[in-house]
Amino acid sequence: MAKLPKPEELLQINYNPPPTEDWMDRPVELKQGNFCWGAKGKNLAAVEFPNARDWTPVEADWKLPKDWEGTVLEAMADRLSKYRSFKVFMDICVRCGACADKCHFFIGGGDPKNMPVLRAELMRSVYRKYFTTAGKYLGKLAGARELDLNVLKEWWYYFYQCTECRRCSVFCPYGIDTAEITLMAREFTNLLGLNTDWISGPVANCYMKGNHLGLEPHAIMNSIEGMIDDIETITGIRINPSFNRKGAEILFVTPSGDLFADPGTFTAMGYMMLFHELGIDYTWSTYASEGGNFGFFTSNEMAKRLNAKIYAEAKRLGVKYIIGGECGHMWRVLNQYMDTWNGPADFMEVPKSPITGTVFDNAASTKMIHVTEFTADLIKNNKIKLDPSRNDDLVITYHDSCNTARGMGLLEEPRYIINSVCNKFHEMPDNTIRERTFCCGSGTGLNASENMEIRMRGGYPRANAVKFVRDKHGVNMLANICAIDRATLSASMDYWVPGVRVTGVHELVANALIMTGEKERETNLRGEPLPGKGGNE
Amino acid sequence: MKTVLPFIAVVILVLLPLFGVTVAHQTQIFFGVVVPYTAVAVFVFGFIYRILQWGKSPVPFCIPTTCGQQKSLPWIKQDKLENPVTTMQVVGRMLLEVLVFRSLFRNMKTEMKEGKAVYGSEKLLWLAGLAFHWSFLFIFVRHYRFFVQDVPTAIQLMEGMDSFFQIGAPLFYMTDAVILGAVTFLLVRRVYLPQIRYISLAADFFPLFLILAIAISGILMRYFFKTHIVAVKQLAIGLVSLNPTIPEGIGAIFYVHLFLICVLLMYFPFSKLMHMGGVFLSPTRNMANDSRIVRYINPWNYPVHVHTYEEYEDDFREKMKKAGLPVEKE
Ligand code: HEM
Ligand code: SF4
Ligand code: SF4
């Protein structure tokens, strides 16, 4: 594996591309540390993907199927006829450059082909050659080029360096969303078996076992059992969640990352403590045990196949509605795709909080609400007792996930909760939050370890803003509502802003939550002494 | 190459009518009648064709890019224009985009300063873009006066505003200066800003040179080589009343101006200039973020192969039973 350079070395960035070069003349170079390992054949076969075989990106021979060019062009014609977004975005870019320096990979790396407009041109140039008259006859002069192996490798390299964060789309005067183009590029590459190991493994797991991590039913229960023990140690309260229980009022679905590793597990403990304190009638499912959807990073069809489990399980268990945990891309999918793919969810009822009676009309059709919507409503109605001073050792800032910000608009709910459960909160600069938030740098299945350089580059703009509030306000905790963030921001904080840790919002809630019958708490969920208790003051 | 070729192309497009009408008088009919009719036809049918082509592809998912607070709990203020849920709110959002380039207004410039990335204000592109488009629109509408005998009051009012400063004879139009300045700025930035230069194609320079040439020829005609206005008006009215005539005494410069406009019209439907139509069809902007409230339908949604609960239980039944999980089949 390539050695990760030091932060100062990574920051030797020049935003100005060579003045006389034509980007089409620069052949693609697969730089170690900037791409993921190739998919394993068995994982592609598990979900019936074409050209299932082991492959290695650095080898010259990608073991492509015969007439792969034809396959891609045929798929391109098909998607152009199915997605107006794709078709319009192929045609109307004026190359004004407003999006150019908005992508975190460009800001942290300076590679001109990471300018969103140029990333899109990698695809447009081929579109022009085969689907426009000018491109067909004028060729390069019209910005057109043939699809060949070099182009395919370039696509693969750069479209697996886009995290579909949609930041470029916010700044484009026509809303051109490079993520839409990346989605298509990933469809095409998947037709040729060109997936990455880090995406195809979780996809196969999720398909067969219900979650990305491949946790089997008893493993899920074991993991939660372990958390319950910890909760008992901390609060003296033994909670008793249920699994696959028919007739429960609510199905709870969260990304499996929350069940697996710190700090996500603390967030999962947070959900369970809150639900226990409220005494609500909910169940986990081991079948629909994944809120996230790595299928979304391969193809529309695969995403739908994985997502289908959530409604199917809700129907089988006969729940009234679904609460979804803290995750980013999961919520883009739930908000903008799930009902269209797998609805209508007419076997459920419009979500209604059993505690406050609030009816969530904003989920009238999907019947699925975000846990921060649920909790914000509780706090607003004074339904839980909180002691924010238990979080007083934390100076917090909040990172908006790309997808909840730009694919949903869930901005105030988590902020309201954080401000209710913590005393010290500071926003990062305006240019870097809310709809302008920066990606963690590792979304869309880029959170592997062999591509650490590009992850750290992509994570730089976010880390840079965190550093600003760390230096100014002493921020030491980065809150977020995304399982991928919890894993990946930890790495980029360690690299760029050591000393800042990462937390889910419901971990903060549970720390502040005064539970009925709890013992005097000595530690927070991480087992560290609470402020004013023990030796840290 | 990508700069020089479009420039040469525009120069040739200027020379064609210039030589045409001076050397061979008869070509006036070609440049004054045949080309304009063809151009308008190509523009109208081409434009409609492109819109229909786009429209043929459905919008399978509800994918607005949300740029503000969603509608959720009643006490949280929804950002109605940046995250619309009703049709009226979407219309509001679109009006902001089309009339004042809302998204472009967000623009910032990223720079590395003292070893870190900083984001500075960058409104020049927005300003130049607005100046260019609005002056273009103003000038376009103003031309209406050539096509009617009695100039409507609205147009006279516009002209009054435009020549507010009452300088020169004929009165100087502000929009003429604005469009020249704005297009020049857009051109210069394409050549000088390294990022923009890197992404530019010949197809980005060509319309700018063309529009600049149109503006310059128009200005030359109005302020310097005065053309015979009455004759031009005769020709224009002849064209729109489908009774074309070629009056005497129209200078060659007029044919240059007219021909360039015709080229622009014919080029329009097959180029990036179609952003004019496309901006209205962009799903990230023209959709309401209401996909949790009402089910959005994908016309080509098709059944897919899934791993059912029954299959899952078959795979794990013994483990599930051992862990105390309920099962459907014993
Ligand atoms: C609904 C109508 C239109 C809207 C909303 C619109 C919007 C925009 C925006 C936001 C830009 C990017 C910023 C800039 O470079 O100015 C742009 C660029 C451009 N527009 Fe338009 N436009 C419209 C109609 C037209 C028309 C009718 C023309 C000309 C015939 C035109 C010609 C151009 C050109 C040449 C550029 C590229 C400027 C450059 O190269 O930097 N637009 N348009
Ligand atoms: S901002 Fe939009 S129109 Fe401008 S270059 Fe980027 S994608 Fe193209
Ligand atoms: S979607 Fe995000 S990662 Fe992809 S090009 Fe746009 S800004 Fe970059």
Side-chain angles (χ1 to χ4, degrees), chain A residues 35-144:
Chain A
F35 59 89
C36 292
W37 303 151
K40 294 199 180 67
K42 69 171 176 24
N43 288 330
L44 296 179
V47 290
E48 304 131 32
F49 268 15
N51 202 25
R53 83 246 171 273
D54 289 352
W55 75 288
T56 316
V58 284
E59 271 168 24
D61 179 12
W62 278 13
K63 305 184 197 163
L64 295 169
K66 260 215 181 72
D67 188 32
W68 63 267
E69 296 94 336
T71 307
V72 170
L73 293 174
E74 206 178 293
M76 203 160 171
D78 176 65
R79 302 309 188 277
L80 285 165
S81 75
K82 279 183 173 161
Y83 290 86
R84 189 179 301 163
S85 53
F86 185 38
K87 197 164 181 178
V88 171
F89 295 165
M90 282 296 106
D91 285 327
I92 64 169
C93 172
V94 299
R95 284 162 299 279
C96 70
C99 61
D101 55 356
K102 307 303 182 285
C103 176
H104 47 286
F105 288 115
F106 181 68
I107 297 174
D111 183 336
K113 287 177 188 165
N114 271 328
M115 294 192 269
V117 44
L118 211 51
R119 195 191 307 286
E121 289 288 312
L122 300 179
M123 172 80 62
R124 267 190 209 111
S125 51
V126 171
Y127 163 79
R128 288 191 196 103
K129 180 78 201 174
Y130 298 95
F131 298 92
T132 70
T133 318
K136 194 184 276 166
Y137 296 110
L138 296 179
K140 200 169 165 185
L141 185 63

Side-chain angles (χ1 to χ4, degrees), chain A residues 21 169 301 304 373 413, chain B residues 72 198 285 291-292 302 307:
Chain A
E21 182 184 282
S169 156
E301 181 171 314
K304 178 177 169 180
E373 294 171 338
E413 295 84 346
Chain B
S72 66
Y198 199 68
R285 289 291 185 275
S291 42
R292 279 204 288 162
Y302 56 93
H307 192 65

Side-chain angles (χ1 to χ4, degrees), chain B residues 205-219:
Chain B
F205 287 102
F206 180 69
L208 288 176
F209 284 130
L210 188 62
I211 291 168
L212 198 61
I214 292 174
I216 294 175
S217 59
I219 288 167

Side-chain angles (χ1 to χ4, degrees), chain A residues 475-496:
Chain A
V475 162
N476 58 16
M477 190 58 97
L478 176 59
N480 61 72
I481 48 167
C482 172
I484 292 183
D485 282 336
R486 286 189 278 276
T488 63
L489 285 174
S490 299
S492 78
M493 290 302 116
D494 287 348
Y495 182 78
W496 291 111

